[in-house]
């Protein structure tokens, strides 16, 4: 087939099949009629060939009956030639008919699917930018009739320049079937559905939708181009894009070319459903470092991929930003220090406040503070608070003050069962950090260093006081020691105390000392026929009371006393057991009662009394001699060997004249009580005393003078009655 679509060798088709040309261009409904006509013609030709064949056979049969052998042979040869010719004719006609039938079939098929008008190219959906040019292609084959375009079903016209549509025209080679629709410049009203139609062939293209893109306008940031914010206060920045941008633009936030997160997107629609505006809200909490920062809101879409930007500048109001310094930062205790408080703020600073350890420093108002450093500045920092109209800010700093050790936590007493672990802790504060050592009270050996002392598996021998000691610092100040007692819980330790010997049938007192931690449940005295823990029982009485001071680390001490009234012989021969029990066990000790005899005691007392009397007599004698030394010789000679022993207890002795003149009640000596062994009778029956001075003084008992004025009275001796002899 050529470019024009005409069948190749069309004259041959007309000659082979007369009347077939009339069917060209017919509709497919005529195919069956055409096909029946041609089959009829083929049947007629076959019938003609059959008649010829039968005639040849009949002529052969007639010749064979009347002629001779020679004629028969000639006729047979002629017959064979005739049959061969008939067969050739029949074969030729049959072949011709078959070819004709095939040609008819092809012609009928050509009439159904042949080169009828059709689309070579149809328009597709198109996206065009507002103001640009749009082209919708359309190409037809085997069609040279009228072509037109429709817009939303409205025909634009059949002329190629499309009168009445100034921005529309049809372009392309019409002879080759090209009918493209052009629109320039594209406007919003051009957004529609377009079709290319071949009206005479009844052909319509598929609809093609033209979409018009409208670039977004530059967005607007509310409050821009300078937005005032408060540092530290959350804020929202709103970027808005208005207009008929298509599609809906995307609003993005940037800072220094970096996209910011934390935005929300919102769009507002008109009643008819078209977009009126879109908004993007950026939530942020600015800081003082954001003052003067530039933020960009960008609106972009498919119509404008690069987008349009709107920039704003942040203007921040912020509370003071404070810097606090100390000069010098490291000092010795007692040195001066200057603190300097500097601040930047918008709006400006309105006031300063100073504090130390949270307590205001009275009188400090400006940006500078001078103090004398001590140890408290290490743990109680100095703070400076600066204020302005927006708010306030506070900064603090601690000094590096060097000072000697100060005890912060004393070690606590501990009570541990025997075999358990014990530990003590103490805390010293100092700068530099003091060295802490542990010793036992009264012992210089260092048991450990550091804030904690651990004693594993303690025994009774570990009980006692432990000392936590810190050495003085570089300044020589501070330091000291703190003690704590370790009590080892163990079974009671009972010790018998010394008890004084007792007289038979007299009172007795037995004592024991009990050390126990924990304290014993009771202290029990037991003997052969009984026991007693407290109170009285017959001749026995038990008292238990705390000792004045316990033994270090062995728990509180108790003294238990067993009183016995009216001792018996058996009390001196048996033992008394003092025992105590606590939750860890039991301990006890045996206590025996010593006996005291009466006679040796009386002798000792008598000897002591005699010695005392003798000494007293010597003193009195010396005093009397000295007192009488100045008297007349006659009077002195009469009584030189007499020593007056002051009168009896009833005061019946008489005085001499001299004594009455010079003596007084104070001159009487004390009554001397002596033992009977100090007195003996001489050969005349006179009472004579032993001379305890071995003759130094002559002491004699004389008869009372007949004169009533004599100063010497008979010696009256009385038994002292100190002891009751058995």
């Amino acid at each position: 087939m050529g470019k024009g679509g005409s069948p190749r060798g069309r004259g041959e088709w007309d000659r082979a099949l007369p009347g077939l040309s009339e069917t060209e261009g017919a509709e497919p409904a005529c195919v069956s009629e055409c096909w029946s006509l041609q089959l009829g013609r083929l049947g007629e030709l076959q019938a003609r060939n059959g008649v010829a064949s039968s005639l040849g056979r009949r002529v052969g049969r007639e010749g064979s009956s009347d002629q001779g052998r020679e004629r028969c042979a000639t006729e047979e040869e002629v017959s064979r030639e005739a049959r061969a010719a008939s067969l050739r004719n029949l074969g030729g006609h049959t072949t011709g008919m078959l070819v004709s039938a095939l040609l008819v079939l092809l012609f009928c098929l050509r009439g159904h699917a042949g080169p009828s008008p059709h689309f070579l190219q149809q328009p597709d959906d198109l996206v065009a930018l507002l103001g640009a040019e749009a082209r919708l292609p359309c190409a037809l084959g085997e069609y040279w009739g009228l072509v037109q375009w429709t817009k939303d079903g409205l025909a634009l016209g059949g002329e190629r320049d499309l009168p009445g549509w100034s921005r529309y025209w049809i372009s392309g080679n019409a002879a080759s079937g090209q009918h493209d629709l052009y629109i320039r410049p594209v406007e919003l009203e051009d957004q529609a559905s377009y079709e290319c139609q071949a009206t005479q062939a009844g052909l319509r293209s598929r609809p093609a939708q033209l979409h018009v893109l409208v670039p977004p306008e530059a967005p607007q940031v509310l409050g821009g181009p300078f937005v005032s914010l408060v540092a530290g206060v959350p804020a929202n920045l709103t970027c808005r894009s208005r207009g008929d941008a298509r599609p809906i633009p995307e609003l993005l936030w940037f800072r220094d070319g970096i996209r910011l997160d934390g935005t929300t997107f919102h769009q507002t629609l008109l009643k008819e459903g078209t977009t009126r505006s879109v908004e993007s809200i950026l939530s942020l909490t600015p800081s003082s470092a954001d003052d003067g920062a530039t933020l960009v809101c960008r609106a972009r879409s498919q119509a404008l991929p690069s987008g349009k930007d709107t920039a704003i500048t942040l203007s921040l109001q912020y509370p003071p930003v404070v810097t606090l310094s100390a000069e010098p930062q490291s000092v010795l205790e007692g040195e001066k220090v200057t603190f300097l408080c500097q601040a930047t703020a918008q709006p400006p600073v309105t006031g300063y406040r100073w504090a130390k350890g949270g307590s205001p420093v009275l009188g400090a108002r400006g940006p500078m503070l001078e103090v004398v450093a001590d140890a408290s500045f290490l743990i109680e920092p100095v703070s400076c608070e600066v204020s302005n109209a927006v708010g306030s800010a506070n900064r603090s700093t601690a000094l590096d003050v060097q000072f000697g050790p100060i005890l912060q936590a004393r070690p606590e007493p501990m009570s541990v069962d025997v075999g358990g672990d014990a530990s003590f802790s103490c805390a010293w504060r100092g700068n530099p950090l003091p060295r802490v050592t542990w010793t036992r009270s009264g012992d210089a050996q260092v048991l450990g260093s550091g804030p904690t002392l651990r004693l594993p598996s303690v025994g009774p021998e570990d009980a006692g006081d432990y000392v936590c000691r810190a050495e003085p610092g570089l300044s020589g100040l501070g330091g000291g020691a703190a003690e704590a007692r370790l009590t080892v819980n163990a079974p009671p330790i009972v010790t018998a105390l010394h008890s004084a010997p007792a007289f038979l049938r007299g009172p007795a007192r037995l004592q024991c000392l009990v050390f126990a931690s924990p304290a014993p449940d009771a202290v029990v005295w037991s003997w052969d026929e009984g026991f007693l823990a407290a109170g009285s029982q017959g001749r026995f009485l038990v008292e238990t009371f705390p000792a004045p001071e316990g033994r270090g680390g062995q728990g509180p001490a108790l003294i238990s006393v067993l009183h016995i009234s009216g001792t018996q012989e058996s009390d001196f021969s048996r033992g008394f057991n003092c025992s105590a029990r606590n939750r860890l066990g039991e301990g006890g000790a045996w206590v025996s009662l010593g006996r005291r005899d009466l006679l040796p005691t009386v002798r000792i007392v008598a000897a002591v009394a005699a010695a005392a009397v003798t000494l007293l007599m010597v003193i009195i004698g010396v005093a009397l001699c000295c007192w009488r030394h100045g008297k007349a010789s006659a009077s002195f000679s009469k009584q030189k060997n007499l020593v007056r022993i002051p009168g009896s207890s009833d005061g019946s002795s008489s005085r001499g004249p001299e004594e009455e003149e010079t003596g007084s009640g104070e001159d009487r000596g004390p009554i001397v009580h002596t033992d009977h062994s100090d007195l003996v009778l001489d050969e005349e029956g006179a009472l004579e005393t032993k001379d305890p001075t071995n003759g130094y003084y002559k002491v004699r008992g004389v008869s009372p003078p007949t004169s009533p004025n004599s100063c010497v009275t008979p010696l009256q001796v009385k038994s002292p009655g100190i002891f009751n002899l058995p």
Side-chain angles (χ1 to χ4, degrees):
M1 181 178 291
K3 186 175 181 180
S6 300
R8 185 178 179 181
R10 186 169 181 174
E12 298 177 358
W13 283 94
D14 295 339
R15 290 190 299 272
L17 297 175
L20 185 62
S21 59
E22 287 83 354
T23 64
E24 183 178 353
E27 292 295 328
C30 70
V31 173
S32 58
E33 181 180 355
C34 176
W35 180 247
S36 299
L37 179 62
Q38 297 303 326
L39 288 179
R41 292 180 180 179
L42 180 60
E44 293 177 0
L45 290 176
Q46 289 177 341
R48 293 175 184 175
N49 290 334
V51 172
S53 177
S54 61
L55 289 175
R57 288 192 298 271
R58 188 172 63 251
V59 171
R61 287 193 301 268
E62 292 176 355
S64 59
S65 60
D66 295 331
Q67 300 296 331
R69 182 179 300 273
E70 184 175 345
R71 187 177 179 180
C72 289
T74 303
E75 291 179 355
E76 290 178 359
E77 182 178 356
V78 173
S79 179
R80 286 195 297 269
E81 290 178 358
R83 287 195 298 272
S86 296
L87 290 174
R88 284 194 298 271
N89 292 332
L90 180 61
H93 285 290
T94 302
T95 302
M97 292 299 295
L98 290 175
V99 170
S100 299
L102 291 175
L103 290 176
V104 170
L105 178 61
L106 291 176
F107 179 80
C108 292
L109 291 176
R110 184 185 69 86
H112 175 68
S116 60
H118 59 278
F119 281 103
L120 299 177
Q121 185 179 12
Q122 299 188 53
D124 295 319
D125 291 346
L126 179 65
V127 175
L129 189 63
L130 181 69
E133 180 180 273
R135 171 179 171 271
L136 296 171
C138 178
L140 290 165
E142 300 300 327
Y143 181 77
W144 296 271
L146 178 65
V147 175
Q148 70 173 1
W149 284 85
T150 63
K151 174 183 177 183
D152 287 339
L154 177 64
L156 300 179
E159 294 82 357
R160 299 184 71 82
D161 58 354
L162 299 179
W165 302 88
S166 60
R167 296 180 293 106
Y168 292 55
W169 71 92
I170 298 175
S171 179
N173 188 354
S176 61
Q178 197 73 29
H179 305 276
D180 298 341
L181 176 64
Y182 284 84
I183 305 174
R184 187 178 61 190
V186 175
E187 297 182 358
L188 285 177
E189 63 185 26
D190 299 330
Q191 182 165 297
S193 177
Y194 294 85
E195 290 184 1
C196 178
Q197 298 178 354
T199 57
Q200 295 176 349
L203 298 178
R204 300 174 62 182
S205 70
R206 60 174 172 264
Q209 186 70 33
L210 175 62
H211 299 278
V212 179
L213 300 184
V214 180
E217 298 178 358
Q220 176 187 6
V221 178
L222 301 185
F226 295 96
V227 179
S228 180
L229 303 176
V230 177
V233 179
N236 293 328
L237 298 179
T238 301
C239 179
R240 181 177 297 167
S241 176
R242 295 181 179 273
D244 294 325
R246 301 182 184 182
I248 297 174
E250 180 183 17
L251 299 180
L252 306 175
W253 288 91
F254 294 87
R255 178 175 178 175
D256 299 330
I258 300 175
R259 182 175 174 177
L260 301 178
D261 296 327
T263 61
T264 58
F265 186 77
H266 176 72
Q267 65 182 16
T268 303
L269 303 178
L270 294 175
K271 291 183 179 180
E272 58 271 20
T274 60
T275 303
R276 183 179 66 181
S277 66
V278 292
E279 292 181 353
S280 177
I281 299 176
L282 174 65
S283 299
L284 74 164
T285 302
S287 65
S288 58
D290 297 325
D291 187 32
T294 299
L295 302 183
V296 173
C297 178
R298 177 176 299 167
R300 72 179 185 183
S301 68
Q302 183 181 358
L304 187 62
S306 61
K308 288 187 178 180
D309 295 344
T310 298
I312 61 170
T313 301
L314 300 182
S315 176
L316 289 180
Q317 292 185 346
Y318 52 91
V321 179
V322 182
T323 302
L324 180 60
S325 61
E327 184 62 33
Q329 186 67 36
S330 179
V331 296
L332 292 176
E333 190 173 13
E335 293 183 348
K336 287 186 177 181
V337 180
T338 300
F339 292 91
L340 182 61
C341 185
Q342 297 176 315
T344 58
Q346 182 64 34
V349 173
T350 57
Y352 295 85
R353 291 181 59 190
W354 292 89
K356 174 179 174 288
S359 300
V361 179
L362 301 179
R365 291 290 183 269
M368 185 179 296
L369 176 66
E370 290 187 355
V371 296
V372 176
D374 57 32
S376 64
F377 282 88
L378 190 64
I379 59 174
E380 297 180 1
V382 173
S383 61
C384 174
E385 182 181 81
V386 185
S387 304
N388 69 351
V390 176
S392 62
N394 188 299
R395 289 293 180 271
S396 61
T397 184
L399 288 178
D400 182 18
V401 181
Q402 298 183 3
F403 58 93
I406 299 175
L407 181 63
Q408 284 187 306
R410 302 181 65 87
E412 297 292 335
M414 291 201 65
S415 178
V416 181
D417 290 349
V418 63
D421 297 338
S423 64
F424 293 99
S425 297
C426 70
W428 292 84
R429 182 171 61 92
N431 189 22
L433 194 66
R435 180 176 180 269
V436 179
T437 59
W438 291 88
T439 60
R440 197 162 180 174
S441 181
D443 190 354
Q445 181 182 1
V446 177
L447 302 177
S449 60
T452 302
L453 173 66
R454 291 181 174 83
L455 302 173
S457 302
V458 297
E461 67 279 1
D462 296 317
D465 295 329
Y466 290 83
V467 181
C468 171
R469 191 183 309 276
E471 301 299 329
L474 298 177
S475 61
L477 302 176
E483 292 187 1
R485 173 164 295 182
L486 173 61
T487 301
V488 179
N489 299 326
I493 299 176
V494 182
T495 305
L497 298 179
H498 174 73
S499 300
F503 294 107
L504 182 63
R505 290 186 295 277
R509 175 187 174 98
L510 301 178
Q511 301 180 100
C512 68
L513 180 63
V514 179
F515 294 100
S517 177
D521 301 329
V523 179
V524 180
W525 288 87
S526 60
W527 55 95
D528 293 342
E529 66 271 15
F531 64 91
L532 186 61
S536 61
Q537 178 181 331
R539 299 181 299 116
F540 301 96
L541 172 66
V542 173
E543 290 181 327
T544 302
F545 51 88
E549 183 177 357
R551 188 180 305 174
Q554 292 187 346
L558 299 176
I559 295 178
S560 184
V561 181
L562 175 63
H563 298 274
I564 306 174
S565 61
T567 59
Q568 299 176 0
E569 286 290 345
S570 59
D571 296 335
F572 299 102
S573 60
R574 63 186 172 188
F576 294 86
N577 181 265
C578 177
S579 62
R581 174 185 293 274
N582 63 8
R583 63 178 177 84
L584 298 176
E586 183 178 3
W590 287 94
V591 185
S592 60
L593 178 62
R595 183 169 181 173
R596 171 186 283 180
D597 292 333
L598 182 60
L599 184 58
T601 303
V602 172
R603 289 178 179 176
I604 293 173
V605 173
V608 173
V613 170
T614 302
L615 181 59
L616 182 59
M617 291 175 64
V618 171
I619 294 174
I620 292 175
V622 173
L624 288 175
C625 289
C626 293
W627 179 68
R628 293 178 180 271
H629 188 271
K631 297 296 182 177
S633 57
S635 177
F636 178 78
S637 62
K638 291 180 180 179
Q639 302 183 23
K640 62 180 178 179
N641 293 326
L642 297 177
V643 177
R644 178 182 177 274
I645 297 177
S648 62
S649 60
D650 58 3
S652 61
S653 61
S654 61
R655 298 169 179 255
E658 295 86 353
E659 294 179 42
E660 292 178 356
E661 295 176 0
T662 60
S664 65
E666 296 178 358
D667 296 294
R668 302 181 215 168
I671 299 175
V672 178
H673 300 274
T674 183
D675 195 271
H676 295 288
S677 60
D678 294 336
L679 302 176
V680 297
L681 294 175
D682 59 7
E683 294 179 356
E684 290 94 15
L687 184 63
E688 183 178 357
T689 63
K690 293 182 180 180
D691 184 6
T693 61
N694 295 324
Y696 187 82
Y697 294 102
K698 180 63 175 178
V699 181
R700 290 180 58 88
V702 296
S703 300
T706 57
S707 171
N709 296 326
S710 174
C711 66
V712 179
T713 62
L715 180 63
Q716 299 177 356
V717 180
K718 293 186 178 179
S719 175
I722 299 177
F723 299 102
N724 296 322
L725 298 179

